[in-house]
Amino acid sequence: MCLKNPSAELLEEEKQIQVTINNYIDEFKHIKFNAGAGAGKTHALKESLLYIVNKHGNKLKYHNQQILCITYTNVATNEIKERIGNSSLVKVSTIHERVWELIKDYQKELVQIHQEKVSNELIETQATLNNPDIVKYKKFQDLDEANQETLRQILLDNRELYYKNKDKNAATFKTAFQGIVDSSMMSNVGQFKDIIKAIYKISNYQICLTKIDTKEYKTVVYDSKQNTDSLHRMKVSHETLLEYGLKIVDKYDTLKKIIINKFPYILIDEYQDTAENVIKIINLLSMYSEQINYNLFIGYFGDTAQNIYDTGVGSDIDEIHPNLVSVNKRFNRRSTKQVIEVINKIRNDHIEQISIYEDDDCGSVEFYQGSEDKINDFITRCKVDLNISYTNKLHCFVLKNELVAKYNGFENIYNSFKNTILYSGLNYQNLNTELVTYDKTKLGEVQNLIYKIIELQQSLVNPKTPISDILNEKIYEGFNFKELFDLIELLKSISGNTLKEYIETIFNYYEESEIKGYKQKVEDVFKEIDTYSLENLVSFMLEKLYRDIDDEQLDDAKTKIETLLSIPMTEYIKWFEFVNRVEEQDVIYHTYHATKGLEFDNVLIIMENKFGLERNKFSSFFTNPINGDKNTKNLLYVACSRARKNLKIFYLDDVTTFKDGIENIFSEVKIFNI
């Protein structure tokens, strides 16, 4: 047996921990529940929610109150809802969703706060443009005031010309502005573009402030899909939303009172990854409840050693929300003794886990040094050593999303999106969020449309798919059996080797078929486009993936769209299966970050020095494991702690100079030879 026989003594101790939490709930004492990987944090959170529902539910119903549970991701939200049975007394949501829900009706106040932010951004941008220490603005600064104003007006009058040429090479860009701007200003095209962008930003802010003053702009909008602010358009992203939420909650006691009256119990999942401004909001509610002598319970559930995102509060929570009662849990319900020993050495803090199982001595941990060209050979060795099969899978962790795409069979899709303007430059990271994701709500606009197309195809080839999953009830309402049969058969007849061919068949049938309900189904899938033709679909994709494109770039962009559409359906199906975590292979690939919250019997971690711009990520950590980079340490901890039974590390670089640091954790470094 392996990990099947829990210790009766430890089970009782574990139960007492939950009893302790329940007592603090009843006493309205705020807590910070800390537990290592595999300890059952989500289980403790669930039990706490159910305890409140069962003991205090009637009182909550009487006063029209709810329990507020804040999660870090939509996936976590759905998981908790499932675990507690979707109780109407528990409001589960991500923090951004909840903050916006709480403040969105305070538009007068939001506009005022937004006005202040835009004013500050305007002052800062003006100061930056005129800062003599910033070399890229020097040519503008060298102009006298009159000539600065002349240049400013010329550039503002030629916005269209700029946006048409901004992505072209330096020579073409200079030619476009020849005769309009003095050539000396363009001796360095990159710096000249920076000047233009600063001038446009200042102008946009000024226009925005004028429209606020004249009441033309009356509302602030939050777009959950937008990763960056568009302040001059009154649109804010995630970070700014929390900033505004904090300001409004801080300013208005009435709002604080409304929140705590509605939610006398607030529980936060994965607190270590929660933004600092969120903790500040919660602390404000806590302080106000004490001020008015109102009963409020706040419970933070998490683990500082699993803080792998730079935006998370991590261990700083005690400074922002002081006087929390700590409840620690040392039990591990996930892993074997061998894995636990390793992860304890990695985290090296006040939480030293022990297995709750008596039969925990049944795993393995091995650290190998090898090279990139030996990865496949090493995986083959692992498959033999661990008896890997379709029922006993090997989960392989890599650092880069592009490798996940490659090894999971959708490399061409990844590269096609990567080569678009939308995901160029600083926006590159958005591709990983909007394509290589387990959360369908995060898909980009084009990806979401493609997902719906593949979802239709997959639902039709699966004989177990219920009709309700294929057709919206409104489509087949009032259909007799024959009409429903004809519609399903027509949908099943759609075919194509490539995505383009499949879509073309859909649109051809749309024009030709008289089968009842077919057009409604097509319109349901392709809601984003107006007319149902391949040409119009390409236009939609161009609009979303190639913004501000000029005529000279259009043919190249269309070619790239054609490449995207010409990828075989089989590859799109692999991407679809990845998003839905359909694991048909015996070896499954993930990024380190994407595995958080998951667990697997067999884990292989591919490790190397290089990660993005870093050239010594793990080598630096192993050189100084105790005081090394906290983010790397936490990432390694999260990755290793996903293993239930067997953990293997395959390091791609030479480890000679930091071998001692590795062996302090993993005991031995083995050299892989075929």
Side-chain angles (χ1 to χ4, degrees):
M1 300 288 285
C2 184
L3 307 178
K4 299 294 184 183
N5 298 317
S7 162
E9 181 183 350
L10 297 182
L11 280 176
E12 183 57 34
E13 187 178 338
E14 185 183 54
K15 287 179 183 177
Q16 288 306 309
I17 293 173
Q18 188 61 50
V19 171
T20 300
I21 294 173
N22 295 345
N23 289 336
Y24 286 133
I25 291 172
D26 292 340
E27 295 167 6
F28 292 98
K29 289 186 178 178
H30 308 324
I31 69 165
K32 180 181 64 175
F33 176 75
N34 301 289
K41 290 185 296 298
T42 304
H43 178 76
L45 175 65
K46 181 206 75 172
E47 289 297 306
S48 301
L49 289 169
L50 291 176
Y51 176 79
I52 300 170
V53 169
N54 294 330
K55 185 168 182 179
H56 304 288
N58 290 333
K59 184 179 178 181
L60 290 170
K61 286 178 184 175
Y62 181 81
H63 292 287
N64 193 28
Q65 295 174 318
Q66 288 179 298
I67 308 158
L68 177 59
C69 180
I70 295 169
T71 62
Y72 186 70
T73 65
N74 289 302
V75 173
T77 296
N78 295 331
E79 182 185 351
I80 292 171
K81 284 180 178 178
E82 289 173 6
R83 290 200 186 192
I84 63 173
N86 267 326
S87 170
S88 61
L89 286 174
V90 184
K91 191 73 173 179
V92 188
S93 68
T94 62
I95 185 57
H96 296 94
E97 178 186 358
R98 188 55 31 218
V99 168
W100 181 240
E101 189 66 29
L102 291 170
I103 70 171
K104 67 180 182 180
D105 293 328
Y106 292 80
Q107 284 297 332
K108 182 180 177 181
E109 293 81 5
L110 278 171
V111 170
Q112 184 180 343
I113 290 170
H114 190 77
Q115 185 178 28
E116 292 170 2
K117 185 174 180 67
V118 174
S119 296
N120 291 334
E121 292 289 332
L122 172 61
I123 293 168
E124 185 177 332
T125 307
Q126 288 173 326
T128 302
L129 181 60
N130 293 295
N131 187 339
D133 294 329
I134 302 179
V135 175
K136 64 182 180 181
Y137 300 133
K138 190 174 186 309
K139 285 191 176 295
F140 179 80
Q141 296 164 5
D142 288 343
L143 300 174
D144 59 35
E145 190 173 331
N147 283 321
Q148 283 184 355
E149 182 55 38
T150 300
L151 177 63
R152 188 181 288 111
Q153 196 56 57
I154 289 172
L155 294 175
L156 292 174
D157 291 341
N158 287 276
R159 281 180 185 258
E160 187 177 343
L161 183 67
Y162 167 76
Y163 287 114
K164 189 176 179 180
N165 292 276
K166 68 182 182 71
D167 295 317
K168 295 180 179 178
N169 61 47
T172 304
F173 187 88
K174 288 173 73 172
T175 301
F177 279 88
Q178 194 172 5
I180 300 174
V181 176
D182 191 298
S183 59
S184 64
M185 287 294 300
M186 298 187 288
S187 59
N188 187 313
V189 171
Q191 292 182 359
F192 181 55
K193 286 182 179 180
D194 287 331
I195 292 170
I196 296 175
K197 284 185 280 189
I199 288 172
Y200 287 175
K201 186 180 285 190
I202 290 168
S203 174
N204 288 336
Y205 288 154
Q206 290 170 333
I207 292 169
C208 176
L209 292 171
T210 300
K211 289 185 176 182
I212 292 174
D213 286 337
T214 59
K215 302 295 189 290
E216 184 176 346
Y217 282 167
K218 299 178 182 179
T219 57
V220 175
V221 176
Y222 164 65
D223 185 352
S224 61
K225 282 192 169 287
Q226 192 163 318
N227 294 311
T228 56
D229 291 324
S230 189
L231 297 178
H232 64 289
R233 295 189 175 96
M234 305 294 283
K235 294 180 180 179
V236 299
S237 61
H238 315 307
E239 189 175 340
T240 303
L241 168 67
L242 299 181
E243 177 190 329
Y244 287 10
L246 175 61
K247 287 182 178 180
I248 286 182
V249 172
D250 186 28
K251 188 174 182 179
Y252 296 101
D253 288 347
T254 302
L255 178 57
K256 293 192 228 3
K257 192 170 185 177
I258 290 171
I259 295 172
I260 62 178
N261 273 332
K262 181 64 178 178
F263 304 110
Y265 302 91
I266 302 175
L267 286 73
I268 299 93
D269 187 29
E270 303 286 1
Y271 74 78
Q272 74 280 350
D273 290 326
T274 304
E276 182 176 313
N277 279 341
V278 176
I279 308 300
K280 287 180 177 178
I281 291 172
I282 302 297
N283 187 46
L284 285 172
L285 299 177
S286 171
M287 291 191 295
Y288 185 73
S289 69
E290 291 177 11
Q291 181 184 328
I292 64 173
N293 198 28
Y294 187 91
N295 286 330
L296 174 68
F297 170 79
I298 296 167
Y300 295 101
F301 294 75
D303 179 17
T304 54
Q306 297 187 64
N307 173 216
I308 60 175
Y309 301 106
D310 294 335
T311 55
V313 70
S315 57
D316 293 337
I317 187 172
D318 293 309
E319 297 176 13
I320 302 169
H321 194 157
N323 303 318
L324 298 169
V325 180
S326 288
V327 180
N328 298 327
K329 185 178 179 182
R330 64 182 180 132
F331 304 119
N332 185 301
R333 282 182 158 270
R334 174 182 297 159
S335 304
T336 60
K337 173 184 177 181
Q338 290 77 12
V339 175
I340 293 173
E341 286 176 353
V342 165
I343 62 177
N344 279 342
K345 290 176 182 176
I346 294 172
R347 68 178 300 148
N348 189 34
D349 63 4
H350 64 284
I351 293 181
E352 185 168 348
Q353 289 187 309
I354 62 170
S355 175
I356 203 164
Y357 301 102
E358 294 179 339
D359 55 338
D360 65 337
D361 192 7
C362 51
S364 66
V365 176
E366 291 184 305
F367 193 107
Y368 284 87
Q369 179 190 337
S371 57
E372 189 171 353
D373 62 334
K374 295 291 191 299
I375 290 177
N376 289 333
D377 294 325
F378 188 75
I379 290 174
T380 301
R381 170 78 69 82
C382 290
K383 290 170 71 172
V384 174
D385 291 348
L386 302 175
N387 296 313
I388 298 302
S389 66
Y390 290 107
T391 57
N392 183 43
K393 300 179 185 294
L394 176 66
H395 290 263
C396 184
F397 300 175
V398 296
L399 280 167
K400 304 179 185 74
N401 281 280
E402 57 191 298
L403 293 179
V404 170
K406 176 182 178 180
Y407 291 130
N408 281 297
F410 56 94
E411 181 180 18
N412 293 313
I413 298 173
Y414 186 92
N415 289 334
S416 292
F417 276 105
K418 181 181 174 181
N419 291 329
T420 64
I421 289 178
L422 180 63
Y423 298 114
S424 62
L426 296 175
N427 294 323
Y428 171 68
Q429 283 303 319
N430 292 343
L431 173 61
N432 299 324
T433 304
E434 298 179 358
L435 180 73
V436 191
T437 178
Y438 296 136
D439 186 352
K440 294 189 285 290
T441 66
K442 298 282 191 209
L443 292 173
E445 291 181 271
V446 174
Q447 293 93 322
N448 185 60
L449 175 57
I450 295 173
Y451 179 91
K452 289 192 294 182
I453 297 167
I454 305 303
E455 184 178 40
L456 171 65
Q457 189 269 347
Q458 287 292 281
S459 68
L460 291 166
V461 299
N462 185 354
K464 296 182 179 179
T465 306
I467 298 295
S468 58
D469 285 356
I470 301 174
L471 300 171
N472 187 309
E473 191 175 339
K474 291 181 180 179
I475 294 176
Y476 67 87
E477 191 175 14
F479 276 36
N480 59 43
F481 180 80
K482 178 67 166 59
E483 290 168 335
L484 188 57
F485 176 84
D486 288 345
L487 175 55
I488 295 296
E489 287 301 301
L490 176 60
L491 290 170
K492 285 183 177 179
S493 71
I494 299 170
S495 63
N497 292 321
T498 66
L499 180 63
K500 178 183 178 181
E501 291 173 2
Y502 192 81
I503 293 171
E504 281 182 319
T505 307
I506 292 175
F507 290 158
N508 289 338
Y509 285 0
Y510 185 89
E511 294 297 327
E512 301 169 1
S513 176
E514 299 296 327
I515 297 293
K516 187 177 178 182
Y518 181 78
K519 289 189 175 181
Q520 292 97 310
K521 178 61 187 176
V522 174
E523 291 162 8
D524 188 49
V525 173
F526 293 89
K527 290 177 182 177
E528 292 83 355
I529 63 177
D530 300 322
T531 56
Y532 307 102
S533 68
L534 189 65
E535 183 181 4
N536 204 44
L537 176 66
V538 170
S539 295
F540 167 79
M541 296 174 77
L542 283 169
E543 179 189 344
K544 300 302 178 183
L545 300 175
Y546 293 90
R547 295 168 184 168
D548 301 323
I549 196 170
D550 59 57
D551 292 341
E552 291 181 12
Q553 296 173 299
L554 186 59
D555 287 342
D556 181 59
K558 285 183 176 179
T559 300
K560 289 177 178 177
I561 297 291
E562 176 73 22
T563 300
L564 181 63
L565 290 170
S566 298
I567 294 171
M569 285 288 288
T570 51
E571 183 165 333
Y572 278 105
I573 291 168
K574 287 180 179 177
W575 168 70
F576 177 85
E577 290 175 343
F578 172 84
V579 174
N580 288 284
R581 294 186 182 177
V582 177
E583 299 174 348
E584 298 291 348
Q585 304 85 11
D586 57 355
V587 182
I588 312 298
Y589 295 87
H590 317 262
T591 61
Y592 291 35
H593 291 82
T595 61
K596 192 173 181 186
L598 305 179
E599 59 182 57
F600 314 104
D601 281 354
N602 309 296
V603 169
L604 165 62
I605 300 175
I606 307 294
M607 200 175 294
E608 57 186 312
N609 295 336
K610 188 172 69 173
F611 178 53
L613 297 176
E614 297 182 71
R615 293 295 179 266
N616 60 345
K617 185 169 183 65
F618 288 105
S619 58
S620 178
F621 169 75
F622 285 121
T623 300
N624 187 7
I626 296 176
N627 299 311
D629 178 63
K630 189 169 76 172
N631 182 273
T632 302
K633 177 181 182 176
N634 290 355
L635 189 61
L636 180 62
Y637 177 78
V638 167
C640 291
S641 62
R642 300 309 96 191
R644 294 188 70 245
K645 296 179 181 179
N646 303 299
L647 171 65
K648 292 183 185 290
I649 313 291
F650 191 64
Y651 207 108
L652 303 184
D653 300 296
D654 181 30
V655 303
T656 305
T657 59
F658 48 92
K659 184 179 178 183
D660 289 347
I662 295 173
E663 292 184 338
N664 285 337
I665 297 172
F666 293 96
S667 298
E668 181 184 6
V669 175
K670 301 177 181 179
I671 305 299
F672 176 70
N673 292 310
I674 300 174

